[in-house]
Amino acid sequence: MAVIAWFTHYYSNSEAILLDGNYSFIMFLGVLVMSVATAVIRIVMYFTGASENIPILIPEPILYYALACAVICYGVSFFYFQQNRSIGNTSIPHGFFERCGRTKQYWRCYDTGKFWR
């Protein structure tokens, strides 16, 4: 994701996209370092005979977490869909990306001629 964000920043000059790319890269490095460190510590514990101190994974809370996240995501998506419908689908018009193209810093819809920033 970071590489895609950097390419997008290069072509769009969007500082927000650059920030997102840098944040994604830093988070990726942090997760990578923590996972390698945890794995090395557990391997050392196993080979030194301290395997009884390695915590056993309990998968049941992970299932509840995943279900809760899915329900929240679908709920938020449904809420935004309903809100957009209540304002006549003016947030992003239906078929916007199929009908419109990028011209410099504006989107121009070919069928209506309207410009969007």
Side-chain angles (χ1 to χ4, degrees):
M1 289 180 64
V3 173
I4 293 170
W6 292 332
F7 277 118
T8 305
H9 162 69
Y10 178 77
Y11 288 109
S12 70
N13 293 324
S14 171
E15 295 295 323
I17 296 292
L18 177 63
L19 180 65
D20 184 51
N22 291 341
Y23 179 76
S24 296
F25 182 69
I26 291 168
M27 290 301 295
F28 171 75
L29 287 180
V31 168
L32 186 65
V33 167
M34 288 303 296
S35 61
V36 168
T38 301
V40 168
I41 290 169
R42 297 219 174 148
I43 290 169
V44 169
M45 288 175 71
Y46 178 78
F47 283 118
T48 58
S51 60
E52 66 275 353
N53 294 333
I54 298 175
I56 296 175
L57 180 67
I58 303 169
E60 189 175 0
I62 297 170
L63 174 66
Y64 297 137
Y65 167 78
L67 287 173
C69 287
V71 167
I72 290 168
C73 287
Y74 283 115
V76 169
S77 176
F78 180 74
F79 173 76
Y80 286 141
F81 177 77
Q82 292 297 326
Q83 292 298 308
N84 189 36
R85 181 188 280 175
S86 72
I87 60 172
N89 291 326
T90 56
S91 178
I92 297 180
H94 180 70
F96 177 79
F97 293 107
E98 291 83 16
R99 296 183 288 119
C100 303
R102 187 87 168 137
T103 59
K104 297 190 181 176
Q105 70 258 36
Y106 297 98
W107 285 92
R108 182 179 184 278
C109 292
Y110 301 117
D111 58 346
T112 63
K114 289 183 181 176
F115 286 92
W116 302 75
R117 196 171 260 264

